[in-house]
Amino acid sequence: MILEKVINRIVLQSEYKDFVDKYRDNILTEFKGKIHSIYMCGSIPKGTAKPFKSDADFTIVCVNSKDIDYERLSNIKDRLLEEYPVVTKIDTIICSIDDVLSKPNEWGFWIKIICVCIYGHDVGEKVPPIIISPEFILDLNTETKEEVDRVRRGLLSNASDNSLKTRYIKGYSKRLIRALYSLVLEDTGVWQDDIIMMKNAILNYCEIDSALVDYLYACYLDSNVLVEEFLGVADEVYSYFENALNAMAASRTSFG
């Protein structure tokens, strides 16, 4: 099965049009000549965003990702959040053209399947069709352990501010649900970016304790839980995920 794009066309609600235009113009002005293309994913380009509740997710593709200074990028974000309170948060991912083309099952998947181009030539069109397979699922999760360790042992464990804890718990919950969902892609045949549909598919196809999945989903909706309790459940979920991934890798090796 070949993965289809999550967002086929941009449907911006009127509340967000000026914001998206301003973000694009600010980025192009601040990093003149260094931007190849700009992308969005999530509820805003889908037209399902909720004012004052939804965040904005951008991806910038350039020739050299080191050309983008994070402090200058952060200044743009801060200005826009002040000007457009309708957006709760702005996240921006940066990658290079080479990242997208040389890692089709990682960055290529992100740009081709998850994102929609709002400026420039869509480099995702150069990424070959992505076929759902154990190899793809393994490649897709190449950096999952590193990401989990970064949040588990760094950001979340050391966060002293309650708002930061809430944000990290929400983000970590979503990351683990996405990881579990990747395990069932051969069953669903599509990539979902709707968290409730991900959860339901995991419950239908994964042999994991449903209470663990329900807990993660509840934490995604309301992150006001004890960090120690959350991490205990998150560790159990990740252990299941890692074992499933290792079994998939071993099976691929056996039959390869």
Side-chain angles (χ1 to χ4, degrees), residues 16 20 37-38 54 86-87 100 117 120 123 127 130 133-134 136 147 155 160 162 209 211 223 239-240 247 255:
Y16 298 98
V20 172
S37 44
I38 303 174
S54 297
V86 68
V87 178
V100 177
C117 187
V123 70
V127 176
I130 295 177
S133 65
F136 164 68
E147 294 170 2
L155 298 176
S160 56
N162 282 334
D209 185 347
S223 308
S239 178
Y240 170 89
F255 291 101

Side-chain angles (χ1 to χ4, degrees), residues 25 27 30 55 83 88 114 139 160 162 219 223 246 252:
D25 294 344
I27 292 296
E30 187 70 32
D55 54 13
E83 187 175 353
T88 59
I114 303 298
D139 285 348
S160 56
N162 282 334
C219 288
S223 308
N246 288 338
R252 187 183 67 165

Side-chain angles (χ1 to χ4, degrees), residues 2-256:
I2 296 177
L3 272 179
E4 299 294 333
K5 199 170 184 67
V6 170
I7 304 172
N8 291 314
R9 65 188 184 92
I10 302 171
V11 185
L12 284 180
Q13 295 147 280
S14 58
E15 296 94 332
Y16 298 98
K17 188 178 186 310
D18 286 347
F19 161 72
V20 172
D21 289 344
K22 185 69 72 71
Y23 177 93
R24 180 198 61 218
D25 294 344
N26 272 250
I27 292 296
L28 295 176
T29 300
E30 187 70 32
F31 303 104
K32 189 173 183 180
K34 297 178 180 178
I35 305 297
H36 173 272
S37 44
I38 303 174
Y39 304 78
M40 288 195 78
C41 65
S43 61
I44 292 180
K46 285 178 72 177
T48 60
K50 297 179 180 179
F52 305 101
K53 290 185 178 181
S54 297
D55 54 13
D57 298 292
F58 294 94
T59 297
I60 296 173
V61 175
C62 43
V63 175
N64 185 354
S65 54
K66 293 181 180 178
D67 285 339
I68 307 301
D69 180 82
Y70 279 89
E71 184 174 351
R72 290 159 63 191
L73 189 62
S74 182
N75 290 337
I76 292 174
K77 179 195 74 173
D78 292 342
R79 290 199 305 268
L80 291 177
L81 285 175
E82 186 173 344
E83 187 175 353
Y84 297 95
V86 68
V87 178
T88 59
K89 183 164 64 83
I90 301 173
D91 287 328
T92 302
I93 296 172
I94 301 167
C95 65
S96 68
I97 299 172
D98 183 63
D99 287 331
V100 177
L101 299 180
S102 66
K103 300 176 181 178
N105 286 348
E106 298 167 61
W107 282 111
F109 159 78
W110 179 255
I111 295 297
K112 184 180 184 69
I113 304 300
I114 303 298
C115 295
V116 60
C117 187
I118 63 169
Y119 167 81
H121 179 70
D122 187 358
V123 70
E125 294 177 356
K126 296 183 178 180
V127 176
I130 295 177
I131 300 172
I132 300 173
S133 65
E135 181 180 13
F136 164 68
I137 296 169
L138 290 167
D139 285 348
L140 184 61
N141 287 291
T142 299
E143 297 180 2
T144 299
K145 186 179 190 317
E146 181 182 329
E147 294 170 2
V148 166
D149 286 345
R150 180 173 63 88
V151 178
R152 172 67 176 83
R153 296 182 175 82
L155 298 176
L156 187 52
S157 297
N158 298 321
S160 56
D161 182 83
N162 282 334
S163 62
L164 279 178
K165 287 181 181 178
T166 297
R167 193 168 113 199
Y168 291 146
I169 287 173
K170 180 181 176 73
Y172 192 17
S173 299
K174 185 176 183 179
R175 185 66 188 88
L176 288 173
I177 290 172
R178 285 184 68 223
L180 289 175
Y181 182 76
S182 72
L183 297 176
V184 303
L185 275 175
E186 288 187 292
D187 298 296
T188 66
V190 296
W191 182 267
Q192 290 287 355
D193 65 349
D194 184 291
I195 196 78
I196 185 67
M197 295 185 77
M198 282 187 177
K199 179 185 84 94
N200 290 339
I202 293 165
L203 294 177
N204 284 335
Y205 297 111
C206 263
E207 296 179 3
I208 187 173
D209 185 347
S210 61
L212 297 176
V213 182
D214 287 334
Y215 180 87
L216 279 186
Y217 180 68
C219 288
Y220 170 76
L221 295 178
D222 181 3
S223 308
N224 187 26
V225 296
L226 293 174
V227 172
E228 293 76 13
E229 175 190 285
F230 169 76
L231 288 177
V233 174
D235 286 350
E236 193 171 347
V237 171
Y238 183 74
S239 178
Y240 170 89
F241 166 76
E242 192 171 43
N243 288 337
L245 214 61
N246 288 338
M248 190 180 294
S251 176
R252 187 183 67 165
T253 302
S254 298
F255 291 101

